[in-house]
Amino acid sequence: MPAAAHLEAYEAHLRYERALSPHTVRAYLGDVTTLLDHLRVQVHGPDAAGGTPLDLTGLDLPGLRSWLAAGRTRGASRTTLARRAAAARTFTAWAVRTGRAPTDAGARLASPRAHRRLPEVLRADQAADALRAAASGAAEGDPVALRDHLLLELLYATGVRVSELCGLDVDDVDDGRRTLRVLGKGGKERTVVYGVPAAAALDAWRRDGRPALAVPTSPPALLLGARGGRLDPRIARTVVHDAAGAVPGAPDIAPHGLRHSAATHLLEGGADLRSVQELLGHASPATTQLYTHVSAERLRAIHDTAHPRA
C-alpha cells in the first residue's frame, strides 16, 4: 500500500491506542514520513512518485541507520536524532504487530545519546517577585488579572504542565484537601497538591474572575479565555513570559520553566526525589533526577562565591 495508508493507520495507533499528546503524534508522524520517503528512494529510486506502493518488508537495520546518517549529514542535532530513533522503534514494532513487516528492525537500532541541557529556572526570590507582581495586579479585581495570578500560582505550586493546567475542569479541584485531579501524558491521572497562596488565588478567581468571563456556551474549564472559552496554552505561555520579564535579572522562561523551578526548589528544600517524581508525573525517576543537577550547579555557584577556600 502507499506510504500515506501506512501513516494514516500509524497515526490512529498513536492517537487512540497509545494516547500520545498531539505534539508527540505530529513529531513521530513527521519522523516516520521522512523514514518512508528514504525507504521508497532506496527501493524504487529517486524518481518514484509519492503514491508508489511501499512494502515494509524492505525496512531493515541498515536502512534505518542510513536514514539517521542522512539526517545527521543534513545537520540534525543529537537530540533530534534520538527522537527519530525512538519514532522508528515505535513504528517498526507497530508494523510487526500489524503484519506489515516480518521483523522488528528498530529493536536493534541504537539511539544517539541526546545532550541533556540543564533547564533555566527562577531563583526562589525571583519566583516570589513574579507572584507578588501578579497578586498586585489581581488586587485591582480585573478578571484577566485574577486568572493570570491563579495560573502562575498553580504552575509554580504544583509543577503541572501547561497543557495539564489548561485541561483542568472546575470539578477537578478538591478544596478540602487542596488537591487537583490532573490528566497527564498517556491519559494517566494523578493528584497534585497546592498551598495556601494558590488556594487564595483560586477562591478570588472563582468568586470574582470566572463569572465575569463565563458565557452561556463556556465549557466547565477551570481557566477561561477572554471570550469565555477554555484557556489556550499559547496565552498561558505569554502570561509566564511577561511575568518573568517583569522581574529584573530573571531568565526568560516558559511555563515549563516554572515546572523546572518548582521541582528544583522542592529538592533544595529537602523533598525526596520519589515525591517530586510523583508530583510531576514522571514515569521514570531518571527524568526527575535531572533537577538534582540543577541544585548541584546552584550549590557550586554559592560555594564558589562565598566559601573562603573556593
Side-chain angles (χ1 to χ4, degrees), residues 82 111 142 169 194 207:
S111 274
D142 176 71
D169 288 338
Y194 59 88
R207 183 183 63 247

Side-chain angles (χ1 to χ4, degrees), residues 23-96:
H23 176 77
T24 303
V25 171
R26 283 194 301 272
Y28 274 26
L29 282 177
D31 291 336
V32 173
T33 298
T34 65
L35 171 60
L36 296 185
D37 287 342
H38 185 81
L39 176 63
R40 184 174 61 247
V41 170
Q42 280 190 323
V43 174
H44 300 289
D47 297 327
T52 303
L54 193 60
D55 185 357
L56 297 185
T57 58
L59 193 57
D60 56 14
L61 185 58
L64 292 176
R65 287 173 173 165
S66 69
W67 168 63
L68 288 179
R72 182 60 176 163
T73 301
R74 289 192 291 269
S77 68
R78 291 171 65 90
T79 301
T80 298
L81 293 175
R83 189 201 66 217
R84 288 181 180 174
R89 285 193 293 270
T90 302
F91 179 73
T92 57
W94 168 82
V96 169

Side-chain angles (χ1 to χ4, degrees), residues 154-221:
L154 287 180
L155 284 174
Y156 182 59
T158 65
V160 295
R161 302 174 179 92
V162 65
S163 58
E164 295 170 344
L165 180 65
C166 293
L168 289 174
D169 288 338
V170 172
D171 61 3
D172 288 327
V173 180
D174 185 334
D175 293 293
R177 298 168 59 205
R178 289 210 304 267
T179 61
L180 302 174
R181 183 175 63 240
V182 175
L183 194 64
K185 288 185 175 181
K188 295 179 181 178
E189 186 178 294
R190 72 182 190 280
T191 299
V192 298
V193 298
Y194 59 88
V196 173
L202 180 59
D203 289 341
W205 159 247
R206 288 185 300 191
R207 183 183 63 247
D208 302 322
R210 193 179 187 281
L213 294 183
V215 296
T217 57
S218 290

